[in-house]
């Protein structure tokens, strides 16, 4: 086997290994979710399952990040009661977040660009969450929880909201962006010590 072929094979094996391990970590983190009742209705929970996907996007490329988002949600649909709708939305938003961050970082690999890339990804993810929830997720949830009941859950926190559109704009969009920022902070805290392992230099 030539050096170039050996290098390609090694890169492929590394990609599969990193993506697989981080997908498992993302699935576990997706199961560890908790409500933030002071800021969001209790049926919306916070988790850090985008963190492994962001790590994968930086260490193995944007495709790894997107695949991690896909795999974790395919696994999660087997244990959730959302009929795949929640997982579909989570995949779309997570793929946007990590895909944008990974693509921007791939073009210029610097710490500052990684920060700009991941913050950009988080903001775009938050903006896309509005139509994603409005047209995909919540219409399905209306079959199990009437729209007025959902709005009432938001009104318990902010009485002035009187429509789903306002609820999503004032609560879900900022929440999604902040969730992305929290994952970015954690990523920057742990990426350097994990970098040798993630890049196959341990």
């Amino acid at each position: 086997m030539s050096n170039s072929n050996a290098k390609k094979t090694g890169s492929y094996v590394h990609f599969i290994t990193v993506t697989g391990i981080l997908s498992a970590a993302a699935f576990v983190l997706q199961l560890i979710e908790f409500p933030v009742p002071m800021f969001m209705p209790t049926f919306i929970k916070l988790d850090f399952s985008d963190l492994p996907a962001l790590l994968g996007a930086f260490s193995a490329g944007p495709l790894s990040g997107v695949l991690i988002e896909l795999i974790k949600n395919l696994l999660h649909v087997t244990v959730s009661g959302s009929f795949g709708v929640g997982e579909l939305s989570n995949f779309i938003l997570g793929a946007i977040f990590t895909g944008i961050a990974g693509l921007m970082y791939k073009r210029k690999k610097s710490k500052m660009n990684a920060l700009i890339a991941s913050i950009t990804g988080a903001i775009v993810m938050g903006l896309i969450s509005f139509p994603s929830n409005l047209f995909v997720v919540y219409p399905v949830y209306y079959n199990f929880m009437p729209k007025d009941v959902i709005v009432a859950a938001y009104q318990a926190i902010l009485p002035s909201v009187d429509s789903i559109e306002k609820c999503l704009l004032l609560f879900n969009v900022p929440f999604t962006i902040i969730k992305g920022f929290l994952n970015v902070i954690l990523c920057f805290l742990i990426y350097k010590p994990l970098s040798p392992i993630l890049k196959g230099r341990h």
Side-chain angles (χ1 to χ4, degrees), residues 14 18 22 51-52 55 59 186-202:
H14 170 254
V18 168
L22 290 177
L51 174 60
L55 290 169
S59 61
L186 290 173
C187 180
F188 273 76
L189 288 174
I190 68 174
Y191 184 79
K192 188 172 182 179
L194 288 179
S195 181
I197 299 174
L198 293 172
K199 294 183 177 180
R201 295 198 298 264
H202 58 291

Side-chain angles (χ1 to χ4, degrees), residues 11 17-18 25 61 63 121 155:
S11 297
T17 302
V18 168
L63 179 59
Q155 288 176 328

